[in-house]
Amino acid sequence: MTAFFGPLLALDAYPGIFAFKILFCLHLALFCFFLAFQKITLEINREIWPNFVFFLVWLAWAVFSLLWAGNIPDGLRNLWYLFSGLSLIGFTVFYMRKEEDLKAPLFILVAILLIIMGVGIWEYKTGLHLKTAGLIPDAGAISKTPRGVFKNQNDMATYLALYLPFLFISAKYLSVRLKTLLPALGLLACAGTGIFLLINTGSRGNLVALALSLVAAVIIYLIQGKWKAFRNVLAMVTALVVLYLVLANTHPALHYQLKRQFRIARHHLVSLEHVAGENSARMILSRNALQELHKHSLLGVGAGNAEEHMKAYRTETFQILALHNWWLEILVNYGIFIFVLYVVFTGRLLVQLYLVAVRAGPGVLKVVAESALVGLAGFPVATVSSSSLAYSRVMWIFFGFALCAINLYCSSNAVQATEEGEKLESPVPVQSLPE
């Protein structure tokens, strides 16, 4: 819980020491103590074991890369974020041993999402921001751009793009019963609020990511329900069109707001054509970063040292150092080997989540797997918005829940196969004939 709020849960006198760091270090010490005295055992399903091997290789290579890193403090800081992030994934998988263990964390995820969206609405209405908000560029004016509990609006948008699927996928499964229809409608309304906030962050990459996630959700629904699902989608689209026409005639103010949000979203998406321009900031950063990568024989410039190498290209008119591209950041910091492994890890995760989402029976496991799959469908695009995702514990927790769903599904199948095998191997009792 504290990982989502980060520096917000810190004393003003010591802004660098906050609740998550304290609790994480305390927990890690206790975990190592119990592990050393064999009070706990590490059990990971073989289906996800290759993912954890990759994590260990990634961490080991990051440590090794400090041998040629130019800025050791930045490298050590990056190692802390990498280690704590990978640990969050590991602990999430380790502690959730059965499907029932997912219920409370899922409720917590949704509750935190609603709280952060509430902060975003407050920011949009008042123009005020929490102490964790970074530099407000609109000097002398009121900035209503929502940042939530994050430093900037891009981080807020990436968080929404990853976690909004947990709302509308949960609503989808709640709507199948009449007694849970009201909570389902409430979650859909909250999801709509999240989309409104995402549009007003102005994050173009995350708008595209959310669109991809929605398309993925519809495709999965059609695969699961086939012709019946197609009829339901057609009926829902028809109902939305009718509802829009009714609101346009009866509530002009609401109709105006809907049209306004559509214009804002369209403006951001149209402006994407300028992002890939030869003289755009992103293209300049990409060229400079790849030049440094080639200078280091594609082995990476060292953990957390990408920005240090970007200083050599800084001019009076161009001061940006952060790469604003998680894929490029991995490639430049850790080299081509770790980058390829990371791409394989992401692709494998997509395939495994799809199998769980399609094959798992009704329940919280299916909801988590499908939500993670839909969020991951937009992840490749969402990651090109934030300045860096290494410090984003939001991303690490998301991966933790995704792997947890896969681990629980594989474990339940293994247990079921074992039980069926025992039944087949057990001797059949022979009844004696009556004398």
Side-chain angles (χ1 to χ4, degrees), residues 38-83:
Q38 299 182 348
K39 299 295 183 181
I40 53 176
T41 55
L42 295 176
E43 296 179 0
I44 299 175
N45 195 285
R46 64 181 182 180
E47 293 294 329
I48 66 167
W49 179 247
N51 298 315
F52 284 89
V53 172
F54 162 60
F55 295 156
L56 292 174
V57 170
W58 187 2
L59 190 61
W61 181 259
V63 174
F64 182 67
S65 70
L66 293 181
L67 293 176
W68 61 82
N71 191 322
I72 298 300
D74 281 357
L76 293 175
R77 190 177 302 110
N78 181 267
L79 277 177
W80 155 251
Y81 287 124
L82 183 61
F83 172 72

Side-chain angles (χ1 to χ4, degrees), residues 43-319:
E43 296 179 0
I44 299 175
N45 195 285
R46 64 181 182 180
E47 293 294 329
I48 66 167
W49 179 247
N51 298 315
F52 284 89
V53 172
F54 162 60
F55 295 156
L56 292 174
V57 170
W58 187 2
L59 190 61
W61 181 259
V63 174
F64 182 67
S65 70
L66 293 181
L67 293 176
W68 61 82
N71 191 322
I72 298 300
D74 281 357
L76 293 175
R77 190 177 302 110
N78 181 267
L79 277 177
W80 155 251
Y81 287 124
L82 183 61
F83 172 72
S84 61
L86 295 177
S87 296
L88 281 174
I89 297 177
F91 290 138
T92 304
V93 175
F94 173 75
Y95 284 118
M96 298 186 198
R97 302 295 182 90
K98 53 186 184 297
E99 186 173 348
E100 289 74 16
D101 295 339
L102 272 175
K103 290 182 180 179
L106 178 60
F107 289 146
I108 291 171
L109 281 186
V110 172
I112 290 174
L113 178 56
L114 297 180
I115 291 171
I116 294 176
M117 287 197 303
V119 173
I121 292 296
W122 168 73
E123 291 177 298
Y124 182 80
K125 288 291 186 180
T126 65
L128 302 174
H129 303 280
L130 299 177
K131 65 178 182 180
T132 49
L135 179 66
I136 309 296
D138 318 350
I142 296 177
S143 172
K144 294 187 175 183
T145 306
R147 289 169 172 80
V149 298
F150 304 99
K151 187 175 181 180
N152 56 61
Q153 61 268 32
N154 284 331
D155 291 343
M156 172 70 164
T158 302
Y159 168 69
L160 291 173
L162 284 178
Y163 283 86
L164 280 179
F166 284 92
L167 291 183
F168 53 78
I169 296 299
S170 298
K172 184 183 86 170
Y173 287 104
L174 287 173
S175 63
V176 297
R177 294 182 179 180
L178 186 59
K179 64 179 182 180
T180 55
L181 182 59
L182 190 59
L185 294 175
L187 288 177
L188 283 177
C190 292
T193 304
I195 295 173
F196 166 80
L197 290 172
L198 199 157
I199 291 172
N200 284 275
T201 61
S203 179
R204 296 165 293 191
N206 283 294
L207 275 173
V208 176
L210 183 62
L212 291 174
S213 295
L214 291 171
V215 170
V218 173
I219 292 173
I220 294 167
Y221 181 58
L222 292 175
I223 292 173
Q224 290 172 335
K226 298 181 181 177
W227 172 241
K228 182 181 178 181
F230 177 77
R231 287 183 301 173
N232 291 341
V233 170
L234 193 61
M236 184 176 66
V237 171
T238 305
L240 288 175
V241 171
V242 172
L243 180 62
Y244 174 78
L245 294 175
V246 171
L247 290 175
N249 292 322
T250 58
H251 295 78
L254 181 59
H255 179 234
Y256 168 77
Q257 281 297 329
L258 290 174
K259 288 182 64 177
R260 181 172 180 271
Q261 295 307 312
F262 176 77
R263 287 196 302 269
I264 293 173
R266 185 178 61 181
H267 168 74
H268 293 319
L269 293 175
V270 168
S271 66
L272 279 171
E273 61 181 300
H274 305 294
V275 174
E278 186 178 352
N279 296 320
S280 65
R282 291 184 181 275
M283 291 302 296
I284 293 172
L285 284 168
S286 298
R287 285 198 302 268
N288 296 342
L290 292 176
Q291 283 182 22
E292 291 300 312
L293 179 65
H294 280 90
K295 288 179 183 178
H296 289 77
S297 304
L298 303 181
L299 296 176
V301 300
N305 270 244
E307 292 190 24
E308 178 66 22
H309 285 266
M310 292 300 99
K311 291 179 181 178
Y313 301 91
R314 190 165 50 185
T315 64
E316 291 183 1
T317 58
F318 192 84
Q319 298 286 324

